[in-house]
Amino acid sequence: MITNPQDMTRKEGAFEREPARRVFATELRECRYQFKDGEDEKSPTFVLLPTGERSNRIFIVGTLTEKTRQGEQNIFYRGRVVDPTGTFFVMAGSYQPEAMQQLAKIETPAFVAVIGKPNLYQKPDGSFMNSVRVESITVVDKDTRDLWVLDAAKQTLDRIDIFNIGTAPDVIKTKEQYPNSDPAVFRRAAYDALAQIKM
Amino acid sequence: MDYSEAAERISRKFSKSGKAVDVKKIEGKLRRLVDEFGVQPQEAERSVTNELNKEFNIPTAGSGGGSKAGSGNEEKKIAEGVPGDWVTIVGKVVALSAPASPSIAQSGIIADESGAIRFVAWAKSNAPAMAEGSWYHIESAVVDEFKGVPNLKIHSGTTVKEISEDRSLIPTPVPIKDLHPGIAGVRAKVIQEWDASHERMLQSGLLGDETGTIKFVIWKEPGKEKLVVGAVYTIFYAQVDEFNGRLSLNLNTATIMQEEGDIPVSGGETAVQGSIVHIAPGSGIIKRCPVEGCNRALSRQNYCPIHEIQPKFVYDLRIKGWLDDGEKTHNILLQRDVVESLTGITLNAAKEIAENNPLGMDEVFLQVRDKVLGRYVICHGREIDGRILVNTCERVKFETSEHAALLNRAGGSS
Ligand SMILES: [Zn+2]
């Protein structure tokens, strides 16, 4: 393999990209707690997943069923992405021009892969609204959707295993923040999602 | 006894594992133990350390001799010394390096049959000057850690005596994948030479053996020579450093012997499965500098940072991006053949688009992006300096057996 030396020596420094968690809609919908890691203005913001892990970024694959253009001066797009367990509310505004262009072009319905930031918003009536700020959205095939269901199920079950051990700092935080949360619900959701894929 | 130095040493040990300790308090305790209770300095240090261990619920590792006073006089093999130990060793000075500061009289590497360690003799230690190639009996020195690398400190309480001995030491090379910070030897091939990133740098590049690859660096110093790319070397007494979780070999202290022949280098092979979550700018079709040996990516204006305007550029395809498995995100670089087989877009087809589509090269970027972003792939390649140079990249296939296993697992008792 010929390697260009220039491609090699460039350092990204100590920069670590936050991983994209695999989470079903039914779990993301239950998030009630959002926090910053660090004092810095640029410190990443996380939502705490009820299975006991922080998430700054998520990766979802589902069906884009609806898309609406909104706003007069500040145009933005909203969309609904459906997985076997529920619905994700996604949005892309002028701060994510590439994502907005991608979303604008997609004809519904379509299987889409979304990389984005989970965002928790408390409405004036006290109820919570979870949405996903899109970093990128691409049309994919059904195979990718099925692979995602396996992936999301596996990672949900992995998180539940760690939750049941109970010693990880994020798990302890989760038990404080969501005292009534029952991981069995999310195990059941993972099972139902898997069962919807035809053998 | 230098109380503040000892207190610093203890505090460093704990802060490494995330425990904050009060240095002034430790210093006070040491002083009290030694001055008021007549405890030997090394025993005082050990006792304060153990007390803190208890406080933090850290089990005291390998208590062999742990409670024995004066065990600093116990002769140890160099490889057995762990940070915090007071040791007495017999070893051969195999390298001397220029002291980094006036407070240091001498520094270098001392070795025995078990291994080698960097040593530092403080100016105030009044230790006799040691000579490369000679053997010494060093009594009551302290092993500590500097940037994760064990270090033998020769201080005012240490006795250094030259001994007559001329055993020859034959160190064993270590497989690259088993290297850890400290002093070590490898038998490896120079796989790549990189552009020097610093004017004091003589050479940097990549060494590989059957088990892996590691970055190496040689700093400019009288008598230092560059390694030859493609040649195999046996290297002893190199310093393995760690920076940002990555290891590198500093060869300035090393004994280097070029060898005949070749060795297989399959090293650094990794496989990562996940989804492609980002395609970075500079992916798609690019133009490269045609000057022999340069091959740098040109700017939009066909400008090479070294060779300026190059209208006779060469087209190439690549993808720079991030592959994410849900736990960790890996920086990946896919070269032309891998991009072609993953996207189905050949370099020729990309060239057509770049030259005829109104969006030009941007259109190639968009088409490449739309074909790979969000897809599950498995990449095989070599991880070099935090980036995977991908040799093959294939779409992941749906496995019915995995589906069945997951259904089982999810349906199992909670
Ligand atoms: Zn050039």
Side-chain angles (χ1 to χ4, degrees), chain A residues 1 4 6-7 11 19-22 59 98 102 136 138-139 148 151 155 157-158 161 187 194 199, chain B residues 275 288 295 297 318 324-326 329 369 373-376 384-385 387 391 395-396 403 409-410 414:
Chain A
M1 185 175 64
N4 178 22
Q6 190 209 356
D7 292 335
K11 279 253 177 69
R21 305 293 183 193
R22 280 47 160 174
F59 174 61
E98 195 184 337
Q102 286 174 304
S136 79
T138 3
V139 175
W148 180 81
D151 192 17
Q155 301 207 19
L157 295 173
D158 288 349
D161 284 350
R187 173 188 295 277
L194 289 165
M199 291 286 261
Chain B
S275 63
R288 292 201 183 275
N295 210 31
R318 71 170 175 197
D324 185 310
D325 64 14
T329 312
R369 181 196 69 188
L373 197 58
R375 269 44 162 228
Y376 282 95
I384 290 168
D385 225 20
R387 170 180 285 174
N391 294 323
R395 296 282 295 270
V396 174
H403 182 209
R409 185 177 164 202
S414 44

Side-chain angles (χ1 to χ4, degrees), chain A residues 156-196:
Chain A
T156 301
L157 295 173
D158 288 349
R159 290 196 297 270
I160 293 171
D161 284 350
I162 293 167
F163 186 95
N164 287 339
I165 294 166
T167 52
D170 281 359
V171 170
I172 293 165
K173 194 179 278 197
T174 305
K175 289 179 174 171
E176 282 165 21
Q177 295 298 332
Y178 309 122
N180 301 319
S181 173
D182 178 8
V185 173
F186 304 114
R187 173 188 295 277
R188 183 76 215 171
Y191 181 86
D192 290 344
L194 289 165
Q196 285 185 41

Side-chain angles (χ1 to χ4, degrees), chain A residues 58-175:
Chain A
I58 62 174
F59 174 61
I60 56 183
V61 182
T63 312
L64 181 71
T65 55
E66 265 181 60
K67 152 188 105 166
T68 15
R69 184 186 142 136
Q70 287 183 324
E72 294 291 319
Q73 269 142 354
N74 290 312
I75 300 162
F76 68 100
Y77 278 81
R78 277 182 195 287
R80 294 167 70 95
V81 175
V82 175
D83 80 358
T85 73
T87 304
F88 295 99
F89 301 95
V90 304
M91 52 187 187
S94 44
Y95 290 108
Q96 304 94 26
E98 195 184 337
M100 194 167 78
Q101 284 169 21
Q102 286 174 304
L103 183 51
K105 268 201 271 180
I106 300 173
E107 300 275 338
T108 57
F111 286 122
V112 291
V114 178
I115 293 110
K117 303 269 189 176
N119 187 39
L120 181 62
Y121 168 75
Q122 189 164 21
K123 294 190 216 161
D125 70 359
S127 64
F128 287 90
M129 166 77 190
N130 278 286
S131 62
V132 181
R133 226 175 308 124
V134 178
E135 291 181 299
S136 79
I137 179 166
T138 3
V139 175
V140 296
D141 53 13
K142 181 172 172 301
D143 268 2
T144 303
R145 200 286 308 263
D146 289 351
L147 285 169
W148 180 81
V149 172
L150 296 193
D151 192 17
K154 180 183 176 293
Q155 301 207 19
T156 301
L157 295 173
D158 288 349
R159 290 196 297 270
I160 293 171
D161 284 350
I162 293 167
F163 186 95
N164 287 339
I165 294 166
T167 52
D170 281 359
V171 170
I172 293 165
K173 194 179 278 197
T174 305
K175 289 179 174 171

